[in-house]
Amino acid sequence: MNEQACLEFLARTRWEYGFRCPRCSYRWSWRLKLGLWECQKCGLQTSGTSGTLLQRSRRPLTDWFRAMWWAASQKNGCNAKSLQRLLGLRSYHVAWEWLHKIRQAMALADQELGSLKGLVEVGMAFIGDEKTAVGGRKALRNAKVFIAVGTIPVAHFNSGGCVRLQQVMDFSVETVTDFVFHNVDRHRSFVFTDSGEEYRLLRDKGFIHKVRRREEKPGEPGPTTLVLPHVQEIVDLLRRWLRTHRGAIRPNYLQRYLDEFAFHHNRRNSRDVDTIFYQLVEGITHCPPANSRPADAP
Ligand SMILES: [Zn+2]
């Protein structure tokens, strides 16, 4: 694929239903040279990359496509060093920024999957505590994360259910209600939680909410069965996965890593790298450039 073909592919992905002017939403355009389109109404000249995460990128689009293809196939997560080697980039920081843009595209691609439906477990966890510390001086400690996981297989990916993860400032009633509201389809789901007080507003918000209480195992004094086994499984997997980024994660960037974990987890049974790659391209063309650089990049 050459540069022109990449630009055409981006434009086709971005304007799946035909050209739409980013300024005035007009549908008709003139086709100019060099992958440019001009709006017939307001005269704005635009390309497949303007107004997206790839806007003003100085590197060839072919490099971006290689990076996205590589990221789509890295089920165990990506790291900037490998990307730097792959593309022969001089700067580690450039590779780091690229990866974060790709992680933003992953978050958008997951939003496209829609809200969780069916039987959904919702729970919360501390990530990066003493026992599972990630990194050294600036280690992530006790970051608060909400987890929602569908427990019925999702036909499209033939998987055991999708997961949603969100880093939050607190575990308050409002925050948990907001998280569930934005990630679970209240008309087509049953929400299972533990008996925590934080979940008390879910029923008022229209969810069918079932509380699972701890039960003692017959014949065993003391030990309890896990009330949210799917949530616990995700937390264990996530902690193990984050350890592969030892020393690299700061609390400010945790959400990006959660997005990457969820993206791969939700496609873990799919061998169709073409589709995963296409979803990444879609994500990157739908993500505005304003979000492309974290406030305190290294
Ligand atoms: Zn226009």
Side-chain angles (χ1 to χ4, degrees):
M1 228 180 185
N2 61 23
E3 196 67 8
Q4 188 62 30
C6 292
L7 195 56
E8 288 286 336
F9 189 83
L10 280 176
R12 255 183 286 140
T13 311
R14 183 180 182 189
W15 295 310
E16 196 182 347
Y17 302 107
F19 175 84
R20 191 176 193 102
C21 174
R23 189 196 281 159
C24 70
S25 299
Y26 198 61
R27 286 280 185 192
W28 299 96
S29 64
W30 308 110
R31 185 71 197 271
L32 308 178
K33 282 190 286 184
L34 299 170
L36 276 179
W37 283 259
E38 183 178 305
C39 172
Q40 289 189 13
K41 192 174 178 189
C42 73
L44 180 76
Q45 291 188 357
T46 185
S47 76
T49 59
S50 59
T52 75
L53 275 180
L54 302 183
Q55 178 172 285
R56 284 196 285 275
S57 173
R58 291 190 202 132
R59 299 281 302 196
L61 286 176
T62 46
D63 278 358
W64 273 106
F65 272 55
R66 278 177 74 198
M68 284 190 279
W69 182 268
W70 170 78
S73 58
Q74 300 295 305
K75 294 207 168 208
N76 294 324
C78 316
N79 69 69
K81 269 263 171 268
S82 306
L83 181 62
Q84 187 186 2
R85 264 198 304 276
L86 178 80
L87 298 179
L89 295 170
R90 268 194 217 159
S91 157
Y92 170 83
H93 298 312
V94 170
W96 185 92
E97 280 194 18
W98 278 37
L99 263 192
H100 276 282
K101 286 184 181 184
I102 290 172
R103 288 183 181 120
Q104 283 176 268
M106 289 174 169
L108 273 187
D110 259 9
Q111 280 176 22
E112 296 287 319
L113 298 178
S115 302
L116 301 182
K117 299 173 186 69
L119 309 183
V120 180
E121 287 184 7
V122 174
M124 46 184 88
F126 289 103
I127 299 294
D129 56 18
E130 300 293 335
K131 215 167 136 195
T132 57
V134 179
R137 276 182 298 128
K138 289 168 181 169
L140 200 60
R141 287 199 189 282
N142 293 327
K144 301 178 182 73
V145 173
F146 278 134
I147 302 107
V149 51
T151 64
I152 287 181
V154 177
H156 183 60
F157 293 110
N158 188 27
S159 71
C162 281
V163 64
R164 291 294 156 84
L165 301 165
Q166 191 181 329
Q167 184 183 11
V168 288
M169 297 301 288
D170 57 61
F171 286 151
S172 65
V173 178
E174 291 74 23
T175 316
V176 72
T177 309
D178 197 53
F179 169 73
V180 178
F181 194 79
H182 285 101
N183 289 286
V184 182
D185 184 332
R186 70 190 154 132
H187 300 298
R188 283 181 281 179
S189 65
F190 291 86
V191 177
F192 294 89
T193 69
D194 61 26
S195 53
E197 264 294 288
E198 302 83 359
Y199 305 108
R200 67 172 185 268
L201 285 185
L202 291 181
R203 209 159 283 178
D204 294 347
K205 289 285 178 187
F207 289 95
I208 301 174
H209 177 207
K210 309 273 185 191
V211 175
R212 284 200 191 134
R213 294 178 199 285
R214 295 191 164 200
E215 294 166 16
E216 292 203 352
K217 280 184 182 173
E220 285 182 30
T224 54
T225 52
L226 285 170
V227 290
L228 302 168
H230 293 87
V231 167
Q232 189 57 47
E233 187 191 2
I234 294 296
V235 171
D236 293 343
L237 285 172
L238 176 65
R239 285 182 172 151
R240 210 176 309 150
W241 188 84
L242 285 174
R243 271 187 229 124
T244 64
H245 292 281
R246 187 175 293 277
I249 298 179
R250 298 186 205 162
N252 286 2
Y253 306 127
L254 177 62
Q255 186 59 50
R256 300 261 172 96
Y257 292 94
L258 297 179
D259 293 337
E260 184 185 359
F261 172 86
F263 180 84
H264 286 297
H265 183 82
N266 292 341
R267 293 158 182 79
R268 64 197 177 284
N269 294 332
S270 169
R271 291 185 187 165
D272 185 3
V273 180
D274 284 348
T275 302
I276 299 175
F277 168 75
Y278 181 74
Q279 290 172 344
L280 266 187
V281 176
E282 259 188 332
I284 217 148
T285 56
H286 293 155
C287 202
N291 299 328
S292 62
R293 193 182 167 87
D296 55 344

